[in-house]
Amino acid sequence: MSANPQAIRAFGAAHRYYQGPGALGLVGDVVSRLGRRPVLVCDAIVADLLRPAVDAACGVRDMAVPWIEVRGDVTRAMVQGLVQQARSTDAPDVVLAAGGGKGVDAGKAVSRELGARLVVLPTSASNDGPCSESFVYYDEQHRMESVEHLPRNPDAVIVDTELLVRAPRALLVSGIGDALCKLYEGEQARRAHGLNLFGGRNTLAAAQLSIACERAIREHAVPGLAAREVGLPDMHFENLTEALVLLAGLAFENSGLSIAHSMTRGLTRVPRIAATLHGQQVGYGLLVQFMLERRPQDFMRQQLAFHREVGLATCLQGFGVGATDDVLQVIADGAMTAPHLKHFERPLSAPDFVAAMRGLETLADQPHSQSLENA
């Protein structure tokens, strides 16, 4: 008797999650429970940050940790080169994927190729990828090629907030933009009876996690950003970090995506916008989703005010791009290629996106919009 995916609820998550000041000191104990031959995958900057603590923690367990360097975009060719280097270091059985988006994605790809266990060590709260089982390949022209999947979520995610609080402000703002959409995209996916990233129906847990993520961001984003300026991971920073890394990751995988992420398919076709952080693009995409949902003016004004307060773009001028007919059409055409369009309350067309973006430009009140270059 075969199962009907439309009738099966599915939920997935990282096996273990650790967060707090000095959490990196746990890496030796965590790795020793998974294997004996770890390898660190990250770029040179992250290696300088992490290797002393990683080597010390793993050394207590009599484990050496060779390092292989990530350079450039996560392409198939680059990953194969990393895999060859890893295999020359005595067949690693645990991959430590460290850094921001690229370092973590590269480590995920290497772990899949090696069939190794995976421990993720994020160094910023810039995105919701650390807890997820997905990663992205790019082509040689720096364009997204495909979204790939691991056979399981990471075995462990270790978030040392003493490191994260020192990361650039722009990365934390990007994380806020990426996480802010989770409740609203999830609501659209649930209304459309869409399947989540595990191929099943939404659970009650997914909906509640999305609500918790939204609540934590609204409450802790501004004071959390202030804590980053001081350099101390206080309660606000800890709660914000959990929302951006753990709750957002659980929410998007177990709920599904919709218009905010669909917009990135179009926004990245504009070179100047493609060079900005993913969370900035998604944050703008969420505002476009609200316009397509025909949200009330008061609601929109509240969202625009929050975006400005935390430093997210509210219009295309916020990316330093004019809202010309050609630019709007390029973005709209790209958005129409996204697979997440099916997770919306009604069918959409390119003219719908153009109209929503035009409306947002008007509503965003241009004198208040600030270019990202000056943020």
Side-chain angles (χ1 to χ4, degrees):
M1 182 177 179
S2 61
N4 174 12
Q6 293 291 339
I8 303 296
R9 300 185 186 196
F11 186 90
H15 187 62
R16 290 285 188 273
Y17 179 85
Y18 304 93
Q19 176 192 313
L24 202 56
L26 300 174
V27 68
D29 181 56
V30 171
V31 170
S32 69
R33 295 168 185 262
L34 300 171
R36 294 298 305 170
R37 300 182 303 278
V39 63
L40 176 64
V41 178
C42 63
D43 64 32
I45 295 174
V46 171
D48 287 343
L49 284 173
L50 298 187
R51 289 187 74 186
V54 169
D55 288 344
C58 289
V60 172
R61 297 284 180 170
D62 296 320
M63 295 181 295
V65 188
W67 165 53
I68 55 177
E69 183 178 0
V70 174
R71 296 179 180 177
D73 286 336
V74 185
T75 65
R76 295 179 188 276
M78 186 268 274
V79 167
Q80 287 307 311
L82 296 179
V83 169
Q84 291 178 9
Q85 292 180 61
R87 284 176 173 153
S88 70
T89 63
D90 193 24
D93 55 8
V94 182
V95 170
L96 303 179
K102 290 182 181 180
V104 170
D105 274 11
K108 287 180 177 180
V110 171
S111 75
R112 188 178 72 172
E113 293 297 310
L114 295 175
R117 309 302 285 268
L118 175 65
V119 177
V120 179
L121 310 175
T123 54
S124 70
S126 62
N127 62 82
D128 55 23
C131 293
S132 80
E133 51 89 75
S134 59
F135 63 94
V136 175
Y137 270 135
Y138 290 84
D139 63 20
E140 300 300 335
Q141 286 72 48
H142 313 290
R143 298 172 302 195
M144 189 175 75
E145 179 183 293
S146 63
V147 177
E148 303 287 321
H149 298 277
L150 301 170
R152 61 184 179 274
N153 286 69
D155 294 285
V157 178
I158 302 175
V159 184
D160 192 326
T161 48
E162 286 181 346
L163 284 176
L164 269 66
V165 80
R166 300 200 299 267
R169 178 187 176 91
L171 296 180
L172 187 57
V173 172
S174 176
I176 293 169
D178 193 26
L180 194 58
C181 66
K182 298 306 180 277
L183 172 62
Y184 306 104
E185 287 194 292
E187 286 177 342
Q188 286 291 348
R190 284 183 279 276
R191 289 174 193 165
H193 304 291
L195 302 183
N196 60 26
L197 274 69
F198 300 108
R201 295 284 300 277
N202 270 224
T203 59
L204 295 174
Q208 291 301 311
L209 288 164
S210 300
I211 293 170
C213 182
E214 158 80 3
R215 184 181 299 122
I217 293 171
R218 301 292 180 179
E219 181 178 350
H220 301 290
V222 173
L225 285 164
R228 194 218 70 86
E229 298 303 320
V230 176
L232 295 174
D234 64 4
M235 177 270 292
H236 294 292
F237 187 84
E238 294 287 351
N239 288 347
L240 179 61
T241 297
E242 182 180 337
L244 305 190
V245 180
L246 178 61
L247 293 176
L250 290 169
F252 98 82
E253 283 197 302
N254 291 290
S255 296
L257 301 173
S258 183
I259 302 305
H261 273 79
S262 296
M263 285 293 296
T264 64
R265 297 295 181 105
L267 291 167
T268 53
R269 293 188 176 190
V270 180
R272 187 162 188 148
I273 302 177
T276 63
L277 292 168
H278 173 75
Q280 283 284 354
Q281 298 168 23
V282 175
Y284 169 81
L286 177 60
L287 295 177
V288 175
Q289 177 174 322
F290 288 152
M291 294 296 292
L292 290 166
E293 291 174 349
R294 301 167 180 146
R295 296 276 188 163
Q297 294 286 304
D298 286 347
F299 176 88
M300 290 303 302
R301 280 191 284 268
Q302 291 171 5
Q303 303 309 310
L304 290 167
F306 183 80
H307 268 55
R308 293 188 185 107
E309 191 171 19
V310 299
L312 290 168
T314 59
C315 59
L316 291 177
Q317 191 58 49
F319 297 100
V321 173
T324 64
D325 291 346
D326 288 345
V327 166
L328 295 178
Q329 193 63 53
V330 165
I331 296 173
D333 289 343
M336 288 299 298
T337 68
H340 315 305
L341 290 183
K342 62 180 179 286
H343 291 162
F344 196 64
E345 58 199 33
R346 66 182 188 279
L348 295 170
S349 65
D352 291 326
F353 280 100
V354 170
M357 287 186 285
R358 283 196 189 284
L360 181 59
E361 293 295 313
T362 300
L363 194 62
D365 187 13
Q366 294 294 342
H368 290 91
S369 299
Q370 184 180 28
S371 172
L372 295 180
E373 294 178 352
N374 301 319

